Amino acid sequence: MELQRLAVVSLFCLLAPSLQVPPSIAPLTTKNLAESAPDNFIVTCVPCLHSSTISVSILSVTVAQGVGTQCTSCFTARQVSPTSDYCIIYHRNFLSTPPEALIYAQAQRYIVTLVCTDGTESAQGDVDLRIIANSAPQFTQPVPDACLTINAITTPANAIVYNSLNAADVDGDTLSYSMVSDPVNDIFDIQTSTGAIYAKKPADSYCYNTVDFYVTVTDGTTAPVGPVIITCPITNHHTSPAITGLNQDVYIDEDVAVGTAIYSLPVLIPAPVLSISNVLPSTSSPLFTVSAGRILQVAAPLDFEDAANRDPNITLVVSNTYCASTEYYLHVHLRDKNDPPKVTPTSVVHTQTEGSFIYLSPGLSIVDQDDFTFGRVIIAAADVNMWSFTPGGDLISVVTYDVETLGPVANLTLKVSDTKGGLSEEIFVTITVADINDNRPIFDQTVYSYTVSECDPPGKVLGSLKATDKDISSPNNVIIYDVVSMDSITVDAAGTVTILSNVSVGVTTPVEVGCRDNGSPQLISPWKATVQLVVTECVATTQTSAQSSGEPITSYMWAQIATLLAMLGAVKWG
């Protein structure tokens, strides 16, 4: 018996795998899905039959009717609860790019292929999803085209001014209202969820006698419906200031001063405020400004020759705090006036050596915007008569320039004037003239005679020679004297005269000394100076010595004095 039982068990174990039921999906039908279905919407559930644990997933989603792949990733398969069948879940995301949501205009039908598996075997099936287009909302009752009168003074903030709008959506979608006002203002708005029109702030700043509200409604999926137009009359409103003197042509001279008034607002209550809305061409905008809120004035120099900005058109707006006016204009026309010539450069520096005529081509660029001819004149110089202009406009000196006479620097002021209007511009010219070695040194005197005593010792300095060189710069005016040592006289390079040796009474032989400057080339003095000594005895020294010693003058001394006087007389009278 035991053997029989074992045999039956073994046979059952062999046959058990063949008794398992493979997974299968029940026949799937066509399903309708609204375009406006919400997020996480259960489309349909999928019965997957099997005797063991299974799982269901989406194998593919394809657009069967439509274009592109819109929303093919919007579907998943999952269990709603641990014991339920697997269901197809629709997800939407309008914030993605492109939006992941059903859009009937792009895809009207999807085929969703599912796969049911136990891990070993599987079965597939298709779900045919037909997209039902979302219906647009509709206003459900006739909308009055007029509302009650709105009193601008008594209507406070948050007051409802119109509440007769009503719309419905057959799909049950959440509706949203929007509105545009005409004239555009920041006072009135609409409650997006209810369609009630209200004042966001007190209406006392409104400036028109009516307001039109253009209202639309949308379900978030279809195109907005509308607009319906609601017209409301406004009472006790402010009015825009009425301005005169604008919307006309204005002619002004191009040379008016910055700050010149072009237009001034009249004095009104409440006081209006003037502002510039636009200037054409835009390059003319910096030329004008508004001062004190009421005066349009020139803000920068005007230029008739600037053709692009010759006739600017200024758009102006006038406000009285509450109401902006309609736009006004002033068409400004510039009148041509004589402009001064424009000269560049206005400062010229020139360097030249002396000894020739000064010739300077300043390279001036002279532009006269009025197309006038122009002239040149020298208005300032040390001597205006020594300068002139060539026919081509170059500056020349009428004499050879000598720095020793005229100085090393010549400063001139030139004036360029237009010949028609008499306007001018000045040019400052600085001419630096370099000194050349063109003057010889000249001795101040031809003979230098020094009286000495025979008692004077060698090496005694007797004086210095003096010569003058008119050149104004070193080394051209540095003088070098001939070095001479002759007889009892010596002269060094500086011109210093010194006793060379003991001298005897009488007149020494004259010594000639020349000199030269240290320029290049060196110039020699045209003549030499003569140096000589007149030597006397040591009488004064002896007498002074005797007197100072208190000794009396003896007869011998008197005899010596008499002899000396006789000798001097003989020399004098030949």
Side-chain angles (χ1 to χ4, degrees), residues 145-224:
D145 61 357
C147 66
L148 298 177
T149 298
I150 299 174
N151 189 316
I153 294 179
T154 60
T155 300
N158 299 315
I160 302 296
V161 298
Y162 186 83
N163 196 21
S164 298
L165 286 174
N166 191 16
D169 187 90
V170 297
D171 303 303
D173 297 329
T174 299
L175 301 184
S176 176
Y177 296 88
S178 60
M179 182 187 76
V180 175
S181 298
D182 182 29
V184 176
N185 61 83
D186 61 351
I187 298 175
F188 302 106
D189 204 351
I190 192 168
Q191 294 178 354
T192 58
S193 60
T194 66
I197 300 173
Y198 69 103
K200 292 192 298 183
K201 64 180 185 179
D204 57 0
S205 60
Y206 196 74
C207 296
Y208 304 95
N209 56 11
T210 62
V211 60
D212 292 329
F213 302 121
Y214 294 77
V215 181
T216 58
V217 65
T218 181
D219 60 4
T221 301
T222 60

Side-chain angles (χ1 to χ4, degrees), residues 244 261-266 274 294-296:
T244 60
I262 302 173
Y263 173 81
S264 296
L265 280 176
L274 180 69
R294 57 182 301 271
I295 303 173
L296 177 66

Side-chain angles (χ1 to χ4, degrees), residues 439-462:
N439 289 282
R440 296 175 180 273
I442 303 296
F443 281 103
D444 291 359
Q445 60 191 69
T446 57
V447 177
Y448 290 82
S449 179
Y450 298 96
T451 300
V452 299
S453 168
E454 62 180 344
C455 297
D456 289 335
K460 180 179 179 180
V461 176
L462 303 178

Side-chain angles (χ1 to χ4, degrees), residues 18-68:
S18 63
L19 297 177
Q20 290 181 332
V21 180
S24 63
I25 295 179
L28 302 178
T29 59
T30 298
K31 295 292 183 180
N32 292 331
L33 179 59
E35 179 184 15
S36 59
D39 190 31
N40 288 318
F41 180 74
I42 300 175
V43 179
T44 185
C45 292
V46 182
C48 183
L49 304 177
H50 197 268
S51 58
S52 62
T53 303
I54 54 91
S55 63
V56 177
S57 60
I58 294 176
L59 185 61
S60 64
V61 178
T62 57
V63 176
Q65 184 178 347
V67 294

Side-chain angles (χ1 to χ4, degrees), residues 137-421:
Q138 299 294 325
F139 289 100
T140 58
Q141 63 187 36
V143 178
D145 61 357
C147 66
L148 298 177
T149 298
I150 299 174
N151 189 316
I153 294 179
T154 60
T155 300
N158 299 315
I160 302 296
V161 298
Y162 186 83
N163 196 21
S164 298
L165 286 174
N166 191 16
D169 187 90
V170 297
D171 303 303
D173 297 329
T174 299
L175 301 184
S176 176
Y177 296 88
S178 60
M179 182 187 76
V180 175
S181 298
D182 182 29
V184 176
N185 61 83
D186 61 351
I187 298 175
F188 302 106
D189 204 351
I190 192 168
Q191 294 178 354
T192 58
S193 60
T194 66
I197 300 173
Y198 69 103
K200 292 192 298 183
K201 64 180 185 179
D204 57 0
S205 60
Y206 196 74
C207 296
Y208 304 95
N209 56 11
T210 62
V211 60
D212 292 329
F213 302 121
Y214 294 77
V215 181
T216 58
V217 65
T218 181
D219 60 4
T221 301
T222 60
V225 175
V228 295
I229 304 174
I230 302 160
T231 301
C232 296
I234 309 290
T235 60
N236 295 324
H237 60 84
H238 293 283
T239 58
S240 298
I243 302 300
T244 60
L246 293 173
N247 292 346
Q248 62 180 349
D249 294 270
V250 176
Y251 295 85
I252 59 176
D253 295 336
E254 66 168 334
D255 60 352
V256 298
V258 172
T260 298
I262 302 173
Y263 173 81
S264 296
L265 280 176
V267 177
L268 299 174
I269 298 176
V273 176
L274 180 69
S275 61
I276 297 174
S277 172
N278 191 28
V279 179
L280 292 176
S282 59
T283 51
S284 296
S285 294
L287 302 179
F288 306 97
T289 188
V290 172
S291 173
R294 57 182 301 271
I295 303 173
L296 177 66
Q297 62 185 24
V298 176
L302 306 177
D303 186 4
F304 177 85
E305 283 67 35
D306 182 3
N309 297 300
R310 184 180 295 169
D311 300 287
N313 196 43
I314 307 173
T315 303
L316 300 166
V317 172
V318 183
S319 171
N320 60 4
T321 304
Y322 300 104
C323 306
S325 72
T326 55
E327 291 184 334
Y328 295 92
Y329 75 86
L330 276 181
H331 195 183
V332 177
H333 303 277
L334 303 185
R335 287 190 294 246
D336 189 23
K337 302 294 287 184
N338 184 28
D339 295 297
K342 295 182 179 179
V343 183
T344 54
T346 56
S347 179
V348 178
V349 177
H350 176 71
T351 302
Q352 184 174 327
T353 56
E354 68 169 329
S356 62
F357 293 94
I358 301 294
Y359 185 91
L360 170 59
S361 179
L364 301 179
S365 172
I366 306 174
V367 178
D368 195 310
Q369 295 179 337
D370 302 300
D371 297 327
F372 296 153
T373 57
F374 51 85
R376 301 177 178 86
V377 65
I378 300 168
I379 61 172
D383 182 0
V384 296
N385 295 321
M386 70 164 291
W387 301 96
S388 183
F389 290 101
T390 67
D394 295 336
L395 182 68
I396 61 171
S397 62
V398 298
V399 297
T400 301
Y401 198 96
D402 180 55
V403 297
E404 289 76 31
T405 303
L406 302 172
V409 178
N411 292 304
L412 296 86
T413 302
L414 313 182
K415 182 171 71 174
V416 175
S417 305
D418 59 37
T419 56
K420 183 175 181 179

